[in-house]
Amino acid sequence: MIKPFEKPIYVTRPFLPPLEKFCQGLQEIWETRWLTNNGPILQRFTQELCNFFETDNVCLFNNGTLALQIALQGMGISGEVITTPYTFVATTHALFWNKIRPVFVDIEPEYYTLDPEKVEAAITPWTTAILAVHVYGYPCKLNALADIARRHNLKLIYDAAHAFGVKVGIKSIAHFGDLGMFSFHATKLFHSLEGGMLIFQEAGLKGIFDYLKNFGFKNEVEVVMPGTNAKMNEMQALMGIQVLKYLEEIIHKRAMITNLYRQHLKEVPGIRLVPSLSPDIRYNHAYMPIEVDEQEFGMSRDTLYEKLKEYNVYTRRYFHPLVCDYACYRNVSVNDPLTVARRVADCILTLPIYDGLELSDVEAICEIIQHLQHETLREPIVNFATSRE
Ligand SMILES: Cc1ncc(COP(=O)(O)O)c(C=O)c1O
């Protein structure tokens, strides 16, 4: 008999820097009383990120959703945008807020990112951009998407909310496409409490994004465009600066967790893991998705999800349902049958992964999963004839 965890194990838990260090930073804020509006800590954080990504084309926001909305608006994207239904709703909401029609196409089955062939087939005279997602931090089919975008003169925008710290060769994932949006939400491996960042190729966009996130103010008396309020504040920037110092440590610990899960789960019948990533990809271990094959595993994904709760293990069914199945998008016509996305959304489960998760806890979670499977397989098969007697 395996005992449940004494305390709940959630799918993620935010990293926190040492409290004394954060308090030292707060002291500076208390002294300056500069809480928001492009304060000194935000300026420092921006500079650190410019150094980190080796570009000046960085703009920070109070969250990733507004960053993406502003990106689309500032780049003048309109008409139709080809995108994935296998993502967090904010990807599509950013299109909606810009009155852009989302054209949902299917994902590829290995890493769940947009299928380039489906993208190409969905292009119409109204298509202006591709909005792809590095879902779970797995890089999209970068070359194929870039090639399509170039041939059809489309903007290529990446929702890289999950992909902070990912590299392809020596190049950060931020430098692919025309623009990438990163979320610094507390649930992400790198965070600033809440926050968002745009990194882009065209330097001229910076001024536009800066106006749009600050009501369109050029100076005290001139408003040059109808902007919104999407500024990052000093507390967020302080957290960001402090968490950034630990990025390598955080990714290293997560990598150990991924390896351990893979080692324990690779031979469990009915559990599918994503294939090993190509060696030139430096993954950030943002998520730990598994597919549960009901027939082979002996239990559906939803039953496993519920049973794990009985052991105090709280997994998530990211990304189920598909965005196009939410009530607010049901009237968007979808021509692609979304065969892969539908299958994956029905069997995916993301397991707990965060830097503070003990390796012994990872082993225990794997043991519980195997135990649940054995228990199910041992359950007597009810013989219909005898059960009626
Ligand atoms: C894929 C994706 N896009 C966009 C967002 C929105 O980011 P934020 O929560 O920072 O607004 C998230 C979520 O957290 C996300 O997972």
Side-chain angles (χ1 to χ4, degrees), residues 310-335:
E310 292 169 16
Y311 287 85
N312 240 344
V313 178
Y314 293 84
T315 58
R316 294 297 296 264
R317 289 168 289 189
Y318 293 140
F319 287 97
H320 160 88
L322 298 180
V323 173
C324 54
D325 290 339
Y326 283 117
C328 61
Y329 293 116
R330 266 192 221 135
N331 59 357
V332 173
S333 61
V334 183
N335 294 331

Side-chain angles (χ1 to χ4, degrees), residues 51-284:
N51 299 344
F52 184 87
F53 289 103
E54 299 177 354
T55 173
D56 288 335
N57 300 339
V58 172
C59 195
L60 293 178
F61 298 83
N62 59 351
N63 61 57
T65 305
L66 281 170
L68 190 56
Q69 264 175 238
I70 286 177
L72 296 165
Q73 194 181 352
M75 292 170 83
I77 308 295
S78 61
E80 292 180 1
V81 168
I82 300 171
T83 192
T84 170
Y86 191 75
T87 181
F88 182 64
V89 278
T91 314
T92 312
H93 286 347
L95 295 170
F96 179 87
W97 279 72
N98 280 285
K99 300 188 167 55
I100 296 165
R101 189 171 107 77
V103 176
F104 295 110
V105 301
D106 211 352
I107 55 174
E108 39 82 20
E110 288 192 324
Y111 299 106
Y112 317 125
T113 65
L114 260 189
D115 180 340
E117 272 183 31
K118 297 298 184 91
V119 171
E120 184 131 35
I123 294 171
T124 73
W126 295 277
T127 311
T128 57
I130 301 165
L131 174 54
V133 180
H134 300 305
V135 69
Y136 306 129
Y138 300 136
C140 291
K141 303 286 176 205
L142 301 164
N143 293 337
L145 291 177
D147 181 52
I148 296 169
R150 186 184 46 75
R151 283 189 286 105
H152 294 272
N153 197 22
L154 304 175
K155 292 288 181 203
L156 178 54
I157 299 170
Y158 283 114
D159 178 335
H162 303 166
F164 197 93
V166 174
K167 280 186 179 169
V168 181
I170 54 163
K171 202 166 152 183
S172 161
I173 193 85
H175 299 306
F176 291 85
D178 293 289
L179 174 142
M181 181 283 284
F182 294 79
S183 165
F184 298 169
H185 186 263
T187 51
K188 306 294 183 281
L189 80 149
F190 171 73
H191 75 94
S192 59
L193 305 169
E194 292 233 30
M197 174 178 71
L198 297 179
I199 296 206
F200 37 94
Q201 301 298 326
E202 201 188 312
L205 286 171
K206 177 141 174 67
I208 297 173
F209 294 152
D210 282 341
Y211 288 142
L212 285 173
K213 74 175 178 183
N214 189 28
F215 310 100
F217 275 115
K218 185 173 181 189
N219 53 44
E220 276 181 41
V221 291
E222 280 178 279
V223 173
V224 292
M225 54 185 80
T228 184
N229 181 2
K231 304 183 299 292
M232 178 178 276
N233 67 46
E234 291 291 274
M235 302 270 183
Q236 291 175 295
L238 176 62
M239 181 61 89
I241 287 175
Q242 299 210 353
V243 179
L244 190 57
K245 296 186 199 309
Y246 295 89
L247 181 71
E248 289 307 313
E249 246 175 74
I250 294 170
I251 293 180
H252 178 71
K253 178 68 195 296
R254 285 172 168 259
M256 293 203 294
I257 293 173
T258 306
N259 292 341
L260 202 55
Y261 270 128
R262 291 182 72 90
Q263 201 180 308
H264 285 283
L265 296 177
K266 68 174 188 249
E267 272 158 26
V268 176
I271 299 249
R272 177 192 169 265
L273 307 170
V274 300
S276 300
L277 285 156
S278 133
D280 69 329
I281 294 173
R282 201 289 285 262
Y283 182 46
N284 64 358

